[in-house]
Amino acid sequence: MSKVLLLTKTSLRNQYGLNRFFGTNLGNFGSGRPPWLKLSLAALVIGLGAAVVFGLLFTFWSLQGGALQRYGLLYLLLMQAVLLSSLVCLLTGILSAPGQLFFSHDYDLLLSLPVRTSTVLMSKMTGLLLSNLVFAIMLALPPLVVYGYKSNAGPRFYLLAVAALPFIPLVPLTLAALFALLTGGIAARFKRSNQYITNVAFILLLGLMASFQALASNRAAAASLDKALDAIRTWYPPARLFFDGLKGPSLLSLLLFMALSLAVFVVFSVFFARSFKAILSRLTATSAKANYKLKELTAASVLRALYMKELRGYLSCPIYVMNTFFGMVLLTVFSVAALCFGNTLTARIFQQPVLAHAAPLGAMLVAVFTAVISCTTAVTISLEGRSLWVLKSAPVGPLTIFKGKVLLNLSTTWPLIAVNSVLLALGLRMDVRHWLLIWVLPSVYALFVAVAGLLINLHFPKLEFKSPYVVVKQSASTLISFVVAFVSVAIPITLYLWLVSERLSYEAYASGVAAVLLLLTGILWQVARTRGGTCFQSLY
Amino acid sequence: MLKITNLSKSYKSSQKAVDDLSLTVEAGDIFGFIGHNGAGKTTTLKCIAGILPFEAGEIFIDGKSIKTQPIECKRVTAYIPDSPDLYEYLTGIQYLSFIADVFSLSKRDRQEAIARYAGLFELTGNLGDIISSYSHGMKQKLALISALIHRPKLLVLDEPFVGLDPKAAFTVKEEMKAMCARGCGIFFSTHVLEVAEKLCTKVAIIQRGRLAACGETAQIIGDNSLEHLFMELIQNGKNGMALPMRETP
């Protein structure tokens, strides 16, 4: 156990740059003093983002709790807390487990050490748990606190809830790791294993989301809460134990929940370790034919060469694609559904019949949201990693390099936004004005987040990493870019709802938002030309 | 070809990685840059390649300043780091085509150059394979080919012989001599003192960021060997003695 902790501690120290944070002497690579200004800025942005997210979540759960309390169903908050948290951990686990478990660059070192494979794997699984714990806490804590407050629960409840919280992601993450093992085992037989893993993860995620959507809209199931709860108790015993443990409260149930979760996690790690090395060795092996014959070569412009390099790098990294292309996949699914279901789609999705007439607005929000979460530039500089010297020693200015990186973002979003806007316009029977809006506004947002993400990454790069997973999912740049994207959507919506809605049509307002965003993007591009170039030059 | 004047570079810590370093590499020079680990060799090479910014001094390549005309300087320079971290997701030929595009090589020039150097380093058959499947030596060879195909005037190499098989190392040395005969300048760091002694027309020894010796190889060494000179300088440095700058006219 101590070796698991030692490996996990070392991995975290490297993954999150803890030495830099705590000001360890870094020799030539930095001073003894941590970069306080950058850290303070990052902490401020992350803190503000967390405050906004927690504020919204607490508000939502308070309203939900109030409604449930009126019908004497307040206890359902406990079930919702554990189920929602488990579901999100399962989804994020499916996205992150293959990268975290199979594509880490430190296996050569770790597997040569005198430790068991199961110990190495357990440390990787613990890393997976810690990186997903934030989602579990973010989603489970607010409903638990609201339940405790509204039911006047004593300190014992809070104590038990806090103790049980870290155990929630164990079973979902084990399922996600099982998925990684199975897909990894199969993918290892294919030549293009990376693409295989990406495709399977996309299909599984869409399947899961479709199943939950179908379950949520199944009126027969929803008609009886008891039946729904019984189904959940049967299919997912840990949720029942968690629920019984906190509702009682029953210490025995809660201890059983913790023991069961931990046992599943540990037993899986030990069994997984048996086939892990073989899968890892096949996955990391690359086929080499060594029979190339030089053919006629073609020449391309510098920008095209940079773009093609970006595109090839993008497609070779499953976690990068899954994290930044899922929004566009969702938008496509939504558009196709709109074509099939027409105007009732938005009402179905938001579960609000009153929204049926506002389908174009709802569709635009979906398109904008999927565009802002499809930001490839937030990690594009970081992913250059140790190969950054190639670009820095090439006779190419930083601006041309930036253009190549922004182009990648636009080429993964703009064509799909354009095609989907047509599908949405046809499905939801929009007029030309609405079609233009649903095309232009998400496109402008995609451009805005592309430039903003690039600038953020230039200021918060992470060039040393053992796995691209760390950069794509856990770097400061990803987090800050997400907060900026979220705020860039939330501010116009809030302003519209509070100040503008009665004075201006949303069509006119959305056009204004697009114009302001374009202006902002122009300013940011100017910053990229000047400060961004200097930032790039100073990277090493 | 390369003129460094009073170069100083410090990282975030107060200690200077390179301190007031000046040297000149003429066209036709094979210039060896020697020093123990952490002496400042790689930092100097990275400053020359335009990878690292520096606070004081100047670097001129082919008469142009790397500070004010970086693109022009990089156009005539080829740099290879000590560890060839290339784009692992590209095939060898895709990487070489990328470099050829970045240096705006014509179709004909790239075709000829890639055929020649890939043949010379016996890598043609592997160019269709993805770089992640290459061994360290193969990556080093690919990096060398990418450095040579655009016919640089200045070659800046950080430990170029590490990982190469004896035949490839011989090929590199012969190519370096041929390039110098064509009027190029070569500036490279090495720990292999025998190679430096036999191959280099000039050498410089760097210690704790400062130049300890610099000049034509034969005159700098005198009756001793480069190894003796190097050890003597290191020992003097360790004993806290001031490093007497040994320079040949």
Coordinates of all heavy atoms in Angstrom, one line a residue, chain A residues 347-429:
Chain A
A347 N -38.7 21.0 -26.9 CA -39.6 20.8 -25.8 C -39.3 19.4 -25.1 O -39.3 19.3 -23.9 CB -41.0 20.8 -26.3
R348 N -39.0 18.4 -25.9 CA -38.7 17.1 -25.4 C -37.4 17.2 -24.5 O -37.3 16.6 -23.5 CB -38.4 16.1 -26.5 CG -39.7 15.6 -27.1 CD -39.3 14.5 -28.1 NE -40.5 14.0 -28.7 CZ -40.7 12.8 -29.2 NH1 -39.7 11.9 -29.0 NH2 -41.8 12.4 -29.7
I349 N -36.4 17.8 -25.1 CA -35.1 17.9 -24.4 C -35.2 18.6 -23.1 O -34.7 18.2 -22.1 CB -34.0 18.5 -25.4 CG1 -33.7 17.4 -26.4 CG2 -32.7 18.8 -24.6 CD1 -32.6 17.7 -27.3
F350 N -35.8 19.8 -23.2 CA -35.8 20.6 -22.0 C -37.0 20.2 -21.1 O -37.2 20.8 -20.0 CB -35.9 22.1 -22.3 CG -34.6 22.6 -23.0 CD1 -34.6 22.9 -24.3 CD2 -33.5 22.7 -22.3 CE1 -33.5 23.4 -24.9 CE2 -32.3 23.1 -22.9 CZ -32.3 23.4 -24.2
Q351 N -37.8 19.2 -21.5 CA -38.9 18.7 -20.7 C -39.9 19.8 -20.4 O -40.6 19.8 -19.4 CB -38.4 18.1 -19.4 CG -37.4 17.1 -19.5 CD -37.9 15.7 -19.8 OE1 -38.7 15.2 -19.0 NE2 -37.5 15.1 -20.9
Q352 N -40.0 20.8 -21.3 CA -40.9 21.9 -21.0 C -41.7 22.2 -22.3 O -41.2 22.8 -23.3 CB -40.1 23.2 -20.7 CG -39.3 23.2 -19.5 CD -40.1 23.2 -18.2 OE1 -41.2 23.7 -18.2 NE2 -39.6 22.5 -17.2
P353 N -43.0 21.8 -22.3 CA -43.8 22.0 -23.5 C -43.9 23.4 -23.9 O -44.0 23.7 -25.1 CB -45.2 21.4 -23.0 CG -44.9 20.6 -21.9 CD -43.7 21.1 -21.2
V354 N -43.8 24.3 -22.9 CA -43.9 25.7 -23.2 C -42.8 26.2 -24.1 O -42.9 27.2 -24.8 CB -44.0 26.6 -21.9 CG1 -42.6 26.6 -21.2 CG2 -44.5 28.0 -22.1
L355 N -41.7 25.4 -24.2 CA -40.6 25.8 -25.0 C -40.7 25.4 -26.4 O -39.8 25.8 -27.3 CB -39.3 25.2 -24.4 CG -38.7 26.0 -23.2 CD1 -37.4 25.2 -22.7 CD2 -38.3 27.4 -23.5
A356 N -41.8 24.7 -26.8 CA -41.9 24.2 -28.1 C -41.8 25.3 -29.2 O -41.2 25.2 -30.2 CB -43.2 23.4 -28.3
H357 N -42.4 26.5 -28.8 CA -42.4 27.6 -29.8 C -41.1 28.3 -29.9 O -40.8 29.0 -30.8 CB -43.5 28.6 -29.4 CG -43.1 29.5 -28.2 ND1 -43.2 29.0 -26.9 CD2 -42.6 30.7 -28.2 CE1 -42.8 29.9 -26.1 NE2 -42.4 31.0 -26.8
A358 N -40.3 28.1 -28.9 CA -38.9 28.7 -28.8 C -37.9 27.8 -29.4 O -36.7 27.9 -29.0 CB -38.6 29.2 -27.4
A359 N -38.2 26.9 -30.3 CA -37.3 25.9 -30.8 C -36.0 26.6 -31.4 O -34.9 26.1 -31.1 CB -37.9 25.0 -31.8
P360 N -36.2 27.6 -32.2 CA -34.9 28.2 -32.8 C -34.0 28.7 -31.7 O -32.8 28.6 -31.9 CB -35.5 29.3 -33.7 CG -36.9 29.0 -34.0 CD -37.4 28.2 -32.8
L361 N -34.5 29.3 -30.7 CA -33.7 29.9 -29.6 C -33.0 28.7 -28.9 O -31.8 28.8 -28.7 CB -34.5 30.7 -28.6 CG -33.8 31.2 -27.4 CD1 -32.7 32.1 -27.7 CD2 -34.8 31.9 -26.4
G362 N -33.7 27.7 -28.6 CA -33.1 26.5 -27.9 C -32.0 25.9 -28.7 O -31.0 25.6 -28.2
A363 N -32.3 25.8 -30.0 CA -31.4 25.1 -30.9 C -30.1 26.0 -31.0 O -29.0 25.5 -31.1 CB -32.0 25.0 -32.3
M364 N -30.3 27.3 -31.0 CA -29.1 28.2 -31.1 C -28.3 28.1 -29.8 O -27.0 28.0 -29.9 CB -29.6 29.7 -31.3 CG -28.4 30.6 -31.6 SD -29.0 32.2 -32.2 CE -29.6 32.8 -30.7
L365 N -28.9 28.0 -28.7 CA -28.2 27.8 -27.4 C -27.4 26.5 -27.5 O -26.2 26.5 -27.1 CB -29.1 27.8 -26.2 CG -29.7 29.1 -25.9 CD1 -30.7 29.0 -24.7 CD2 -28.6 30.1 -25.5
V366 N -28.0 25.4 -28.0 CA -27.3 24.1 -28.1 C -26.1 24.3 -29.0 O -25.0 23.9 -28.7 CB -28.2 23.0 -28.6 CG1 -27.5 21.8 -28.9 CG2 -29.3 22.7 -27.6
A367 N -26.3 25.0 -30.2 CA -25.2 25.1 -31.2 C -24.1 26.0 -30.6 O -22.9 25.6 -30.8 CB -25.8 25.8 -32.4
V368 N -24.4 27.0 -29.8 CA -23.4 27.9 -29.2 C -22.6 27.1 -28.2 O -21.4 27.1 -28.1 CB -24.0 29.1 -28.6 CG1 -23.1 29.8 -27.6 CG2 -24.4 30.1 -29.7
F369 N -23.4 26.4 -27.3 CA -22.7 25.6 -26.3 C -21.8 24.5 -26.9 O -20.6 24.4 -26.4 CB -23.8 24.9 -25.4 CG -23.2 24.0 -24.3 CD1 -22.6 24.6 -23.2 CD2 -23.3 22.7 -24.4 CE1 -22.0 23.8 -22.2 CE2 -22.7 21.9 -23.4 CZ -22.1 22.4 -22.3
T370 N -22.2 23.8 -27.9 CA -21.3 22.8 -28.5 C -20.1 23.4 -29.2 O -19.1 22.8 -29.2 CB -22.1 21.9 -29.5 OG1 -22.7 22.8 -30.5 CG2 -23.1 21.1 -28.8
A371 N -20.3 24.7 -29.7 CA -19.2 25.4 -30.3 C -18.1 25.8 -29.3 O -16.9 25.6 -29.6 CB -19.7 26.6 -31.1
V372 N -18.6 26.3 -28.1 CA -17.6 26.8 -27.2 C -16.8 25.6 -26.5 O -15.7 25.8 -26.0 CB -18.1 27.8 -26.1 CG1 -18.7 29.0 -26.8 CG2 -19.2 27.1 -25.3
I373 N -17.5 24.4 -26.4 CA -16.8 23.3 -25.8 C -15.9 22.6 -26.8 O -15.2 21.6 -26.4 CB -17.7 22.3 -25.0 CG1 -18.7 21.7 -26.0 CG2 -18.4 23.0 -23.9 CD1 -19.4 20.5 -25.4
S374 N -15.8 23.1 -28.0 CA -15.0 22.4 -29.0 C -13.7 23.2 -29.3 O -13.4 23.5 -30.4 CB -15.8 22.3 -30.3 OG -17.0 21.6 -30.1
C375 N -13.0 23.6 -28.2 CA -11.9 24.5 -28.3 C -10.6 23.6 -28.3 O -10.2 23.0 -27.3 CB -11.8 25.4 -27.2 SG -10.4 26.5 -27.1
T376 N -10.0 23.5 -29.5 CA -8.7 22.7 -29.6 C -7.5 23.5 -29.2 O -6.5 23.0 -28.9 CB -8.5 22.2 -31.1 OG1 -8.4 23.3 -31.9 CG2 -9.6 21.3 -31.5
T377 N -7.6 24.9 -29.3 CA -6.4 25.7 -29.0 C -6.0 25.8 -27.6 O -4.9 26.2 -27.3 CB -6.6 27.1 -29.6 OG1 -7.8 27.6 -29.1 CG2 -6.7 27.1 -31.1
A378 N -6.9 25.4 -26.6 CA -6.6 25.6 -25.2 C -5.4 24.8 -24.8 O -4.8 25.1 -23.7 CB -7.8 25.3 -24.4
V379 N -5.1 23.7 -25.6 CA -3.9 22.9 -25.2 C -2.9 22.7 -26.3 O -2.0 22.0 -26.2 CB -4.4 21.5 -24.7 CG1 -5.2 21.6 -23.4 CG2 -5.3 20.8 -25.8
T380 N -3.1 23.5 -27.4 CA -2.3 23.3 -28.6 C -0.9 23.6 -28.4 O 0.0 22.9 -28.9 CB -2.9 24.1 -29.7 OG1 -2.3 23.8 -30.9 CG2 -2.8 25.6 -29.5
I381 N -0.5 24.6 -27.6 CA 0.9 24.9 -27.3 C 1.5 23.9 -26.4 O 2.6 23.4 -26.6 CB 1.0 26.3 -26.7 CG1 0.4 27.4 -27.7 CG2 2.5 26.7 -26.3 CD1 1.2 27.7 -28.9
S382 N 0.7 23.5 -25.3 CA 1.2 22.5 -24.4 C 1.5 21.2 -25.1 O 2.5 20.6 -24.8 CB 0.1 22.3 -23.3 OG -0.2 23.4 -22.6
L383 N 0.7 20.8 -26.0 CA 0.9 19.5 -26.6 C 2.1 19.5 -27.6 O 2.5 18.4 -28.0 CB -0.4 19.1 -27.4 CG -1.5 18.6 -26.5 CD1 -2.8 18.3 -27.4 CD2 -1.2 17.4 -25.7
E384 N 2.7 20.6 -27.9 CA 3.9 20.6 -28.6 C 5.0 20.0 -27.7 O 6.0 19.3 -28.2 CB 4.4 22.1 -28.9 CG 3.6 22.8 -30.0 CD 3.7 22.2 -31.4 OE1 4.7 21.6 -31.6 OE2 2.8 22.3 -32.2
G385 N 4.9 20.1 -26.4 CA 5.8 19.5 -25.5 C 7.2 19.6 -25.8 O 7.7 20.7 -26.1
R386 N 7.9 18.5 -25.8 CA 9.4 18.5 -26.0 C 9.7 18.8 -27.5 O 10.9 18.9 -27.8 CB 10.0 17.2 -25.6 CG 10.0 17.1 -24.1 CD 10.4 15.7 -23.6 NE 10.5 15.6 -22.2 CZ 11.7 15.6 -21.6 NH1 12.8 15.5 -22.3 NH2 11.8 15.5 -20.3
S387 N 8.7 18.7 -28.4 CA 9.0 19.0 -29.8 C 8.9 20.5 -30.1 O 9.0 20.8 -31.3 CB 8.0 18.2 -30.7 OG 7.9 16.9 -30.3
L388 N 8.7 21.3 -29.1 CA 8.5 22.7 -29.4 C 9.7 23.3 -30.1 O 9.6 24.3 -30.9 CB 8.3 23.4 -28.1 CG 8.0 24.9 -28.2 CD1 6.6 25.1 -28.8 CD2 8.0 25.6 -26.8
W389 N 10.9 22.7 -29.9 CA 12.1 23.2 -30.5 C 12.0 23.2 -32.1 O 12.6 24.1 -32.7 CB 13.3 22.4 -30.1 CG 13.4 21.0 -30.7 CD1 12.8 19.9 -30.2 CD2 13.9 20.6 -32.0 NE1 13.0 18.8 -31.0 CE2 13.7 19.2 -32.1 CE3 14.6 21.2 -33.0 CZ2 14.1 18.5 -33.2 CZ3 15.0 20.5 -34.1 CH2 14.7 19.1 -34.2
V390 N 11.2 22.3 -32.6 CA 11.1 22.2 -34.1 C 10.5 23.5 -34.6 O 11.0 24.2 -35.5 CB 10.2 21.0 -34.5 CG1 10.1 21.0 -36.0 CG2 10.8 19.7 -34.0
L391 N 9.4 24.0 -34.0 CA 8.7 25.2 -34.4 C 9.6 26.4 -34.1 O 9.7 27.4 -34.9 CB 7.4 25.4 -33.7 CG 6.3 24.4 -34.2 CD1 5.0 24.7 -33.5 CD2 6.1 24.6 -35.7
K392 N 10.2 26.4 -32.9 CA 11.0 27.6 -32.5 C 12.2 27.8 -33.3 O 12.7 28.9 -33.4 CB 11.3 27.5 -31.0 CG 10.0 27.6 -30.1 CD 10.3 28.0 -28.7 CE 10.8 29.5 -28.6 NZ 11.0 29.9 -27.2
S393 N 12.8 26.7 -33.8 CA 14.0 26.9 -34.6 C 13.7 27.0 -36.1 O 14.6 27.2 -36.9 CB 15.0 25.7 -34.4 OG 14.4 24.5 -34.8
A394 N 12.4 26.9 -36.5 CA 12.0 27.0 -37.9 C 11.9 28.5 -38.3 O 11.6 29.3 -37.4 CB 10.7 26.3 -38.1
P395 N 12.2 28.8 -39.5 CA 12.1 30.2 -40.0 C 10.7 30.6 -40.2 O 10.3 31.0 -41.3 CB 12.9 30.2 -41.3 CG 12.8 28.8 -41.8 CD 12.6 27.9 -40.6
V396 N 9.9 30.5 -39.2 CA 8.4 30.9 -39.3 C 8.1 31.8 -38.1 O 8.5 31.5 -37.0 CB 7.6 29.6 -39.2 CG1 6.1 29.9 -39.4 CG2 8.0 28.6 -40.2
G397 N 7.4 32.8 -38.3 CA 7.0 33.7 -37.3 C 5.9 33.1 -36.4 O 5.2 32.3 -36.9
P398 N 5.8 33.6 -35.1 CA 4.8 33.0 -34.2 C 3.4 33.2 -34.8 O 2.6 32.3 -34.6 CB 5.0 33.8 -33.0 CG 6.3 34.4 -33.0 CD 6.7 34.6 -34.5
L399 N 3.1 34.2 -35.5 CA 1.8 34.5 -36.0 C 1.3 33.4 -37.0 O 0.2 33.0 -36.9 CB 1.7 35.9 -36.6 CG 0.3 36.5 -36.7 CD1 -0.3 36.7 -35.3 CD2 0.3 37.7 -37.5
T400 N 2.2 33.0 -37.8 CA 1.9 31.9 -38.8 C 1.6 30.6 -38.1 O 0.7 29.9 -38.4 CB 3.1 31.7 -39.8 OG1 3.6 33.0 -40.2 CG2 2.7 31.0 -41.0
I401 N 2.4 30.4 -37.0 CA 2.2 29.2 -36.2 C 0.8 29.3 -35.6 O 0.0 28.3 -35.6 CB 3.3 29.1 -35.2 CG1 4.6 28.8 -35.8 CG2 3.0 27.9 -34.2 CD1 5.9 29.0 -35.0
F402 N 0.5 30.4 -35.0 CA -0.8 30.6 -34.4 C -2.0 30.4 -35.4 O -3.0 29.8 -35.1 CB -1.0 32.0 -33.8 CG 0.0 32.4 -32.7 CD1 0.2 33.7 -32.3 CD2 0.7 31.4 -32.1 CE1 1.1 34.0 -31.3 CE2 1.6 31.6 -31.1 CZ 1.8 33.0 -30.7
K403 N -1.8 30.9 -36.6 CA -2.8 30.8 -37.7 C -3.1 29.3 -37.9 O -4.2 28.9 -38.0 CB -2.4 31.4 -39.0 CG -2.6 32.9 -39.0 CD -2.1 33.5 -40.3 CE -2.0 35.0 -40.3 NZ -1.3 35.6 -41.4
G404 N -2.0 28.5 -38.0 CA -2.2 27.0 -38.2 C -3.0 26.4 -37.1 O -3.8 25.5 -37.4
K405 N -2.7 26.9 -35.9 CA -3.4 26.3 -34.7 C -4.9 26.7 -34.7 O -5.8 25.9 -34.4 CB -2.7 26.7 -33.4 CG -1.3 26.0 -33.4 CD -0.6 26.3 -32.1 CE 0.8 25.6 -32.1 NZ 0.7 24.1 -32.1
V406 N -5.2 28.0 -35.0 CA -6.5 28.4 -35.0 C -7.3 27.8 -36.2 O -8.5 27.4 -36.0 CB -6.6 30.0 -35.1 CG1 -8.0 30.5 -35.4 CG2 -6.1 30.6 -33.8
L407 N -6.6 27.6 -37.3 CA -7.2 26.9 -38.4 C -7.7 25.5 -38.1 O -8.8 25.1 -38.6 CB -6.2 26.8 -39.6 CG -6.3 27.9 -40.7 CD1 -5.3 27.6 -41.8 CD2 -7.7 27.9 -41.3
L408 N -7.0 24.8 -37.3 CA -7.4 23.5 -36.9 C -8.7 23.6 -36.2 O -9.7 22.8 -36.4 CB -6.4 22.8 -36.0 CG -6.8 21.5 -35.4 CD1 -6.9 20.4 -36.5 CD2 -6.0 21.0 -34.3
N409 N -8.8 24.5 -35.2 CA -10.0 24.7 -34.4 C -11.2 25.0 -35.4 O -12.3 24.4 -35.2 CB -9.9 25.8 -33.4 CG -10.8 25.7 -32.2 OD1 -10.5 26.1 -31.1 ND2 -12.0 25.1 -32.5
L410 N -11.0 25.9 -36.3 CA -12.1 26.3 -37.2 C -12.4 25.1 -38.2 O -13.6 25.0 -38.5 CB -11.6 27.5 -38.0 CG -11.3 28.8 -37.2 CD1 -11.0 30.0 -38.1 CD2 -12.5 29.1 -36.2
S411 N -11.4 24.4 -38.6 CA -11.8 23.3 -39.5 C -12.5 22.1 -38.8 O -13.2 21.3 -39.5 CB -10.5 22.8 -40.2 OG -9.7 22.1 -39.3
T412 N -12.4 22.0 -37.5 CA -13.2 21.0 -36.8 C -14.5 21.5 -36.4 O -15.4 20.7 -35.9 CB -12.4 20.5 -35.6 OG1 -12.2 21.6 -34.7 CG2 -11.1 19.8 -35.9
T413 N -14.8 22.8 -36.5 CA -16.1 23.3 -36.1 C -16.9 23.9 -37.2 O -18.1 23.6 -37.4 CB -15.9 24.4 -34.9 OG1 -14.9 25.3 -35.4 CG2 -15.5 23.7 -33.6
W414 N -16.3 24.8 -37.9 CA -17.1 25.6 -38.9 C -17.8 24.8 -39.9 O -19.0 25.0 -40.1 CB -16.1 26.6 -39.6 CG -16.0 27.9 -38.9 CD1 -16.5 28.2 -37.6 CD2 -15.4 29.1 -39.3 NE1 -16.1 29.4 -37.2 CE2 -15.5 30.0 -38.2 CE3 -14.7 29.5 -40.5 CZ2 -15.0 31.3 -38.3 CZ3 -14.2 30.8 -40.5 CH2 -14.3 31.7 -39.5
P415 N -17.2 23.8 -40.6 CA -18.0 23.0 -41.6 C -19.2 22.3 -40.9 O -20.3 22.3 -41.5 CB -17.0 22.0 -42.1 CG -15.6 22.5 -41.8 CD -15.8 23.3 -40.5
L416 N -19.0 21.8 -39.7 CA -20.1 21.0 -39.0 C -21.2 22.0 -38.6 O -22.3 21.7 -38.6 CB -19.5 20.3 -37.8 CG -18.8 19.0 -38.3 CD1 -17.9 18.4 -37.2 CD2 -19.9 17.9 -38.6
I417 N -20.7 23.2 -38.1 CA -21.7 24.2 -37.7 C -22.6 24.6 -38.9 O -23.8 24.7 -38.9 CB -21.1 25.4 -37.1 CG1 -20.5 25.1 -35.7 CG2 -22.1 26.6 -36.9 CD1 -19.6 26.2 -35.1
A418 N -21.9 24.8 -40.1 CA -22.6 25.2 -41.3 C -23.6 24.1 -41.7 O -24.8 24.4 -42.0 CB -21.6 25.4 -42.4
V419 N -23.2 22.9 -41.8 CA -24.0 21.8 -42.2 C -25.2 21.6 -41.2 O -26.4 21.5 -41.6 CB -23.2 20.4 -42.4 CG1 -24.2 19.2 -42.6 CG2 -22.2 20.5 -43.5
N420 N -24.8 21.6 -39.9 CA -25.9 21.4 -38.9 C -26.9 22.6 -38.9 O -28.0 22.4 -38.5 CB -25.2 21.2 -37.5 CG -24.7 19.8 -37.4 OD1 -25.3 18.8 -37.8 ND2 -23.4 19.7 -37.0
S421 N -26.4 23.8 -39.2 CA -27.4 24.9 -39.2 C -28.4 24.7 -40.3 O -29.6 25.0 -40.1 CB -26.6 26.2 -39.4 OG -26.1 26.3 -40.8
V422 N -28.0 24.1 -41.4 CA -29.0 23.8 -42.5 C -29.9 22.7 -42.0 O -31.2 22.9 -42.2 CB -28.2 23.4 -43.8 CG1 -29.2 22.9 -44.8 CG2 -27.3 24.5 -44.3
L423 N -29.4 21.7 -41.4 CA -30.3 20.6 -40.9 C -31.3 21.1 -39.9 O -32.5 20.8 -39.9 CB -29.4 19.5 -40.3 CG -28.5 18.7 -41.2 CD1 -27.8 17.6 -40.4 CD2 -29.3 18.1 -42.3
L424 N -30.8 22.0 -39.0 CA -31.6 22.5 -37.9 C -32.7 23.4 -38.6 O -33.9 23.4 -38.2 CB -30.8 23.3 -36.9 CG -30.0 22.5 -35.9 CD1 -29.0 23.4 -35.2 CD2 -30.9 21.8 -34.9
A425 N -32.3 24.2 -39.5 CA -33.2 25.2 -40.2 C -34.3 24.4 -40.9 O -35.5 24.7 -40.8 CB -32.5 26.0 -41.2
L426 N -33.9 23.3 -41.5 CA -34.9 22.4 -42.2 C -35.8 21.7 -41.2 O -37.1 21.8 -41.3 CB -34.2 21.4 -43.1 CG -33.5 21.9 -44.3 CD1 -32.7 20.8 -45.0 CD2 -34.5 22.5 -45.3
G427 N -35.2 21.1 -40.2 CA -36.0 20.4 -39.2 C -36.9 21.3 -38.4 O -38.0 20.9 -38.1
L428 N -36.4 22.4 -38.0 CA -37.3 23.3 -37.2 C -38.0 24.4 -38.0 O -38.6 25.3 -37.4 CB -36.4 24.0 -36.1 CG -35.6 23.0 -35.2 CD1 -34.7 23.8 -34.2 CD2 -36.5 22.1 -34.4
R429 N -38.0 24.2 -39.3 CA -38.7 25.1 -40.2 C -38.4 26.6 -39.9 O -39.3 27.4 -39.7 CB -40.2 24.9 -40.1 CG -40.6 23.5 -40.5 CD -42.1 23.3 -40.3 NE -42.4 21.9 -40.3 CZ -42.6 21.1 -41.4 NH1 -42.4 21.7 -42.6 NH2 -42.9 19.9 -41.3

